[in-house]
Amino acid sequence: MSAPDRTRPRGFWPSVAVGWALMGVGVAGLLGGIDHFAGPVSWLRAGAWVVGVALAHDLVVAPLVCLAGVAVARVVPRAWRGPVAGGLVAAAAVTAVAFPGVRGWGRLPNNPSVHPLDYGTGLATALAVVAAGVVAAGLLARRR
């Protein structure tokens, strides 16, 4: 008697359930954030925003991530690939979150309490912490 032929990993269906649940939460958040009494203009704006973000991801972000992955695979030594790739992902996330503050978007000249800090220095500090983590993880991986 032979072993059953498994075409999917063991955690496939639980992952599908969690994924669908998260998508449901996202759709509920989208629908809950729309002013239902504002009419179709509000719905069209929300839909255009969702489509625009999806297109920006698929046409800009995903190709850049793929190119960065190819570059890391070709340039970085094997023991350092994981830490460097993880560091690039963390640095991109930190930069994306900090970018509006660094650019000063939303700053009001008559209200100095809005964006009162030097966000460029904060971003540089966060990126230095990420770089230190990459170096520590790379040294640990190389040691193994």
Side-chain angles (χ1 to χ4, degrees), residues 18-80:
V18 169
W20 277 99
L22 289 173
M23 286 190 284
V25 168
V27 169
L30 173 68
L31 296 178
I34 296 173
D35 183 5
H36 296 283
F37 300 106
V41 172
S42 173
W43 285 82
L44 289 174
R45 283 189 192 139
W49 188 86
V50 169
V51 169
V53 168
L55 286 173
H57 175 270
D58 291 350
L59 299 176
V60 178
V61 175
L64 288 175
V65 168
C66 290
L67 288 173
V70 169
V72 166
R74 289 186 179 179
V75 175
V76 177
R78 180 176 293 277
W80 287 81

Side-chain angles (χ1 to χ4, degrees), residues 9-21:
R10 184 178 303 252
F12 177 78
W13 289 112
S15 298
V16 168
V18 169
W20 277 99

Side-chain angles (χ1 to χ4, degrees), residues 88-140:
L88 288 173
V89 170
V94 166
T95 302
V97 169
F99 189 72
V102 171
R103 295 288 300 161
W105 294 343
R107 181 173 287 141
L108 300 173
N110 60 351
N111 187 354
S113 66
V114 177
H115 294 296
L117 304 174
D118 181 11
Y119 293 98
T121 303
L123 175 60
T125 304
L127 292 176
V129 169
V130 169
V134 167
V135 170
L139 291 173
L140 184 64

